[in-house]
Amino acid sequence: MPFLGQDWRSPGWSWIKTEDGWKRCEPWSQELERENNQCNISHSIILNSEDEEIFNNEEHEYASKKRKKDHFRNDTNTQCFYREKWIYVHKESTRERHGYCTLGEAFNRLDFSSAIQDTRRFNYVVRLLQLIAKSQLTSLSGVAQKNYFHILDKIVQKVLSDHQNPRLIKDLLQDLSSTLCILIRGVGKSVLVGNINIWICRLETVLSWQQQLQNLQMTKHVSGGLTLSDLPVHMLNNILYRLSDGWDIVTLGQVTPTLAVLSEDRRLWKKLCQYHFAEKQFCRHLILSEKGHIEWKLMYFALQKYYPTKEQYGDTLHFCRHCSILFWKDSGHPCTAADPDSCFTPVSPQHFIDLFKF
């Protein structure tokens, strides 16, 4: 019977340690082999000139492998991480699932670094990081935690450069700093992976990010083209009705006096409440004005404290019910179903975390 897998006598895959953790690399390139051969030649010349046998064959082979490893650590172009941007989610609670189907493993395999560069996925990744910061930070492995803060650093630098979605990142950093303070002061290193000093440095980094976002100044672009205030009133009103977050409406209402009047429209806030909450929830938290009218704006923020709002994302992770694989839709996965599109289910951030709770 032929052996289809890798030979059990082989040394296995080659792994390198990078800023994102341990990564699997491709076989050595021809350029690296040529460089290594030159090193071997020069090394043999030195040995022959001194007429001393410093290294035996095994030690010389070890030194050669170490040079290759150091080369790949410094050359990011030759690194090959997980080619498959998906992860198989086991259905039963088995030993394999516990070892290879964890939240940390999913965080390593799914390409979140590239996802934050996509406008459709940015809010999705930020919300996922926020949920992990609230309750699942200690369940991540050491590599996953390192990747978590590496991706968070990219998000903060992106917001500081393009000035988009600063409020989302402020909320994320606030939850993360609160969690880190509780873990470091109250619990300590008993549940934290790694040295406690590393976590203190991470907390200081988060506090520094919060200060940078607090001092963020929006630059005003001066151009001779059309501005927001030049649009007709009905178009401005249409823009407000397309926003699904109440804080965005409040912020936009501070731009011009016209938008301030439009942002106080009772029908606008009524539509927003009806979109996010059910009628039974309205009856429990009615807020009436002196004239007996319902204060829909106050109702929205009151209901927001008690019930979660409906989340909207341009693109999300997908789960294949046929293959039990979690993946980004554009990257795909090796599906064996006759009609793969009928098996795909969008996965919310909370559902993503629930998939790995066992």
Side-chain angles (χ1 to χ4, degrees), residues 276-286 299 303 307-308:
H276 287 287
F277 310 106
E279 294 184 3
K280 295 181 179 180
Q281 299 170 344
F282 296 163
C283 301
R284 298 176 183 176
H285 305 277
L286 278 178
M299 282 272 295
L303 292 170
Y307 309 103

Side-chain angles (χ1 to χ4, degrees), residues 292-346:
H293 300 297
I294 299 177
E295 295 287 350
W296 290 105
K297 182 178 179 179
L298 298 178
M299 282 272 295
Y300 171 81
F301 291 105
L303 292 170
Q304 194 180 35
K305 296 179 181 178
Y306 297 99
Y307 309 103
T309 57
K310 187 182 296 184
E311 298 177 352
Q312 278 187 334
Y313 304 104
D315 191 14
T316 66
L317 286 168
H318 285 70
F319 180 75
C320 180
R321 298 185 302 271
H322 179 77
C323 305
S324 299
I325 288 179
L326 191 65
F327 64 100
W328 293 107
K329 194 171 183 179
D330 60 348
S331 60
H333 73 286
C335 187
T336 58
D339 187 10
D341 294 336
S342 62
C343 304
F344 297 167
T345 303

Side-chain angles (χ1 to χ4, degrees), residues 109-138:
R109 286 185 173 273
L110 299 172
D111 192 9
F112 289 106
S113 296
S114 300
I116 62 176
Q117 304 301 328
D118 192 336
T119 308
R120 301 170 303 166
R121 300 175 180 174
F122 182 83
N123 293 358
Y124 181 85
V125 177
V126 171
R127 178 57 179 168
L128 180 59
L129 295 181
Q130 188 175 13
L131 292 177
I132 294 176
K134 287 182 177 180
S135 60
Q136 302 295 322
L137 189 61
T138 56

Side-chain angles (χ1 to χ4, degrees), residues 21-22 44 57 81 100 106 158 195 211-212 243 339 341 347:
W22 288 93
S44 60
N57 293 332
F81 303 159
Y100 301 99
K158 182 177 184 299
N195 194 309
Q211 188 64 33
Q212 294 178 34
L243 298 177
D339 187 10
D341 294 336
V347 178

Side-chain angles (χ1 to χ4, degrees), residues 171-285:
D171 295 340
L172 167 59
L173 294 180
Q174 180 62 38
D175 293 335
L176 181 59
S177 61
S178 301
T179 302
L180 290 178
C181 288
I182 295 174
L183 292 176
I184 293 174
R185 296 175 183 175
V187 182
K189 59 185 179 181
S190 59
V191 296
L192 296 176
V193 178
N195 194 309
I196 190 66
N197 294 325
I198 297 178
W199 287 97
I200 295 176
C201 292
R202 288 173 176 174
L203 177 58
E204 293 175 352
T205 303
V206 172
L207 296 177
S208 175
W209 288 337
Q210 287 181 303
Q211 188 64 33
Q212 294 178 34
L213 291 174
Q214 193 68 26
N215 300 331
L216 181 63
Q217 298 291 333
M218 299 295 179
T219 57
K220 184 177 180 180
H221 298 280
V222 179
S223 61
L226 193 67
T227 61
L228 187 64
S229 58
D230 297 329
L231 297 177
V233 176
H234 71 277
M235 294 186 65
L236 296 175
N237 195 37
N238 191 20
I239 293 174
L240 289 171
Y241 269 86
R242 293 181 180 274
L243 298 177
S244 61
D245 193 335
W247 286 110
D248 290 339
I249 297 177
V250 173
T251 304
L252 187 59
Q254 299 173 354
V255 177
T256 62
T258 304
L259 287 171
V261 175
L262 295 176
S263 63
E264 297 295 332
D265 185 10
R266 293 181 64 254
R267 291 177 299 176
L268 171 65
W269 291 99
K270 181 180 179 180
K271 289 284 186 182
L272 195 63
C273 289
Q274 291 175 344
Y275 174 77
H276 287 287
F277 310 106
E279 294 184 3
K280 295 181 179 180
Q281 299 170 344
F282 296 163
C283 301
R284 298 176 183 176
H285 305 277

